[in-house]
Amino acid sequence: MPKNSKDKELDKMYKDLLETRDGVRASSKDEGNRLLKFFVGLLMLGGGLFMIFQNIEVSSSWGYGRYFFRIGGFGLPNGLIMLPIIIGIAMLFLMDRKIFGWVVLSIGIVTVLLSVMMTTHLSWRSTNAYVFIIMFGLVAAGGGLVLRELFRKN
């Protein structure tokens, strides 16, 4: 029995619908795999960075020295760098125009943060080569997976 043109059109539409449905399933499966790869890479990157940061020792000599800042024969004692903070807080409560108090307080906070950062020392704990390779290998592999999934073209 010969098919008429409407049957041929319906068959064509049905085939197109099946192809589209299969394509959607394949792309959603691909999206799931991409998301899984991204999160596995993120987990590997985080684990490697955690292990690296666990092997870094941080020490400070801020309170040990007598002077924080020295120019020639003049030295600024460590406790004296708190003075701008105290003056800034007092200015906030005493003055009508509080902008000057905020400026002095900000200078004091920046000075304290800089003094702590300038006297901080980082050192690497000794570790064996196996742990070293695992740490940096996790960071490299995890970073590679994350970057590949982030910059993959569709």
Side-chain angles (χ1 to χ4, degrees), residues 88 90-104:
M91 288 172 72
L92 285 175
F93 285 99
L94 294 174
M95 298 177 70
D96 289 335
R97 294 193 53 152
K98 300 200 184 297
I99 187 72
F100 299 117
W102 285 113
V103 168
V104 172

Short mmCIF file of all heavy atoms in Angstrom, two decimals, residues 88 90-104:
data_model
loop_
_atom_site.label_atom_id
_atom_site.label_comp_id
_atom_site.label_asym_id
_atom_site.label_seq_id
_atom_site.Cartn_x
_atom_site.Cartn_y
_atom_site.Cartn_z
N GLY A 88 42.76 58.05 66.83
CA GLY A 88 41.64 58.02 65.87
C GLY A 88 40.32 57.70 66.55
O GLY A 88 39.29 58.31 66.24
N ALA A 90 39.58 58.31 69.71
CA ALA A 90 39.23 59.50 70.49
C ALA A 90 38.67 60.60 69.59
O ALA A 90 37.69 61.26 69.95
CB ALA A 90 40.46 60.00 71.24
N MET A 91 39.25 60.77 68.41
CA MET A 91 38.76 61.79 67.48
C MET A 91 37.35 61.49 67.00
O MET A 91 36.55 62.40 66.79
CB MET A 91 39.71 61.92 66.28
CG MET A 91 41.04 62.58 66.63
SD MET A 91 42.22 62.52 65.27
CE MET A 91 41.52 63.71 64.15
N LEU A 92 37.02 60.21 66.84
CA LEU A 92 35.67 59.85 66.41
C LEU A 92 34.63 60.27 67.44
O LEU A 92 33.51 60.63 67.09
CB LEU A 92 35.57 58.34 66.16
CG LEU A 92 36.23 57.82 64.89
CD1 LEU A 92 36.17 56.30 64.84
CD2 LEU A 92 35.57 58.41 63.67
N PHE A 93 34.97 60.20 68.72
CA PHE A 93 34.01 60.55 69.75
C PHE A 93 34.02 62.04 70.09
O PHE A 93 33.03 62.56 70.59
CB PHE A 93 34.28 59.74 71.02
CG PHE A 93 33.83 58.31 70.90
CD1 PHE A 93 34.73 57.31 70.60
CD2 PHE A 93 32.50 57.98 71.05
CE1 PHE A 93 34.32 56.00 70.47
CE2 PHE A 93 32.07 56.67 70.92
CZ PHE A 93 32.97 55.67 70.64
N LEU A 94 35.14 62.72 69.84
CA LEU A 94 35.25 64.12 70.27
C LEU A 94 34.91 65.13 69.20
O LEU A 94 34.42 66.22 69.52
CB LEU A 94 36.67 64.39 70.77
CG LEU A 94 37.08 63.63 72.04
CD1 LEU A 94 38.54 63.88 72.35
CD2 LEU A 94 36.20 64.03 73.21
N MET A 95 35.15 64.83 67.95
CA MET A 95 35.00 65.82 66.89
C MET A 95 33.65 65.72 66.19
O MET A 95 33.06 64.64 66.11
CB MET A 95 36.13 65.66 65.86
CG MET A 95 37.51 65.89 66.44
SD MET A 95 38.80 65.60 65.25
CE MET A 95 38.59 66.96 64.17
N ASP A 96 33.20 66.86 65.67
CA ASP A 96 31.96 66.88 64.90
C ASP A 96 32.18 66.31 63.50
O ASP A 96 31.34 65.59 62.98
CB ASP A 96 31.42 68.30 64.79
CG ASP A 96 30.88 68.81 66.11
OD1 ASP A 96 30.48 67.96 66.94
OD2 ASP A 96 30.86 70.04 66.30
N ARG A 97 33.30 66.67 62.88
CA ARG A 97 33.64 66.14 61.56
C ARG A 97 34.43 64.86 61.76
O ARG A 97 35.61 64.89 62.08
CB ARG A 97 34.44 67.15 60.76
CG ARG A 97 33.60 68.37 60.43
CD ARG A 97 34.27 69.19 59.41
NE ARG A 97 34.59 68.35 58.26
CZ ARG A 97 34.69 68.81 57.04
NH1 ARG A 97 34.50 70.08 56.81
NH2 ARG A 97 35.01 68.02 56.06
N LYS A 98 33.78 63.75 61.57
CA LYS A 98 34.38 62.45 61.90
C LYS A 98 35.35 61.95 60.83
O LYS A 98 36.05 60.97 61.06
CB LYS A 98 33.28 61.43 62.15
CG LYS A 98 32.38 61.83 63.30
CD LYS A 98 31.65 60.66 63.83
CE LYS A 98 30.67 61.04 64.91
NZ LYS A 98 31.25 61.61 66.08
N ILE A 99 35.43 62.62 59.70
CA ILE A 99 36.29 62.15 58.62
C ILE A 99 37.76 62.12 59.05
O ILE A 99 38.50 61.20 58.71
CB ILE A 99 36.09 62.98 57.32
CG1 ILE A 99 36.86 62.37 56.16
CG2 ILE A 99 36.52 64.41 57.53
CD1 ILE A 99 36.30 61.10 55.65
N PHE A 100 38.17 63.11 59.85
CA PHE A 100 39.57 63.14 60.29
C PHE A 100 39.86 61.98 61.23
O PHE A 100 40.93 61.37 61.19
CB PHE A 100 39.89 64.49 60.96
CG PHE A 100 39.71 65.65 60.04
CD1 PHE A 100 38.77 66.63 60.31
CD2 PHE A 100 40.48 65.77 58.90
CE1 PHE A 100 38.60 67.70 59.46
CE2 PHE A 100 40.32 66.83 58.03
CZ PHE A 100 39.37 67.81 58.31
N GLY A 101 38.91 61.65 62.08
CA GLY A 101 39.07 60.50 62.98
C GLY A 101 39.18 59.20 62.21
O GLY A 101 40.00 58.33 62.54
N TRP A 102 38.35 59.05 61.17
CA TRP A 102 38.41 57.84 60.34
C TRP A 102 39.74 57.74 59.60
O TRP A 102 40.29 56.64 59.45
CB TRP A 102 37.25 57.79 59.36
CG TRP A 102 35.94 57.43 60.00
CD1 TRP A 102 34.86 58.23 60.15
CD2 TRP A 102 35.60 56.17 60.59
NE1 TRP A 102 33.86 57.55 60.80
CE2 TRP A 102 34.28 56.29 61.08
CE3 TRP A 102 36.28 54.97 60.75
CZ2 TRP A 102 33.64 55.24 61.72
CZ3 TRP A 102 35.63 53.94 61.39
CH2 TRP A 102 34.34 54.07 61.87
N VAL A 103 40.26 58.88 59.14
CA VAL A 103 41.54 58.86 58.43
C VAL A 103 42.67 58.43 59.37
O VAL A 103 43.49 57.56 59.04
CB VAL A 103 41.83 60.25 57.80
CG1 VAL A 103 43.27 60.34 57.32
CG2 VAL A 103 40.86 60.52 56.67
N VAL A 104 42.71 59.02 60.58
CA VAL A 104 43.76 58.67 61.54
C VAL A 104 43.62 57.21 61.98
O VAL A 104 44.61 56.48 62.09
CB VAL A 104 43.73 59.63 62.74
CG1 VAL A 104 44.68 59.18 63.83
CG2 VAL A 104 44.07 61.05 62.31
#
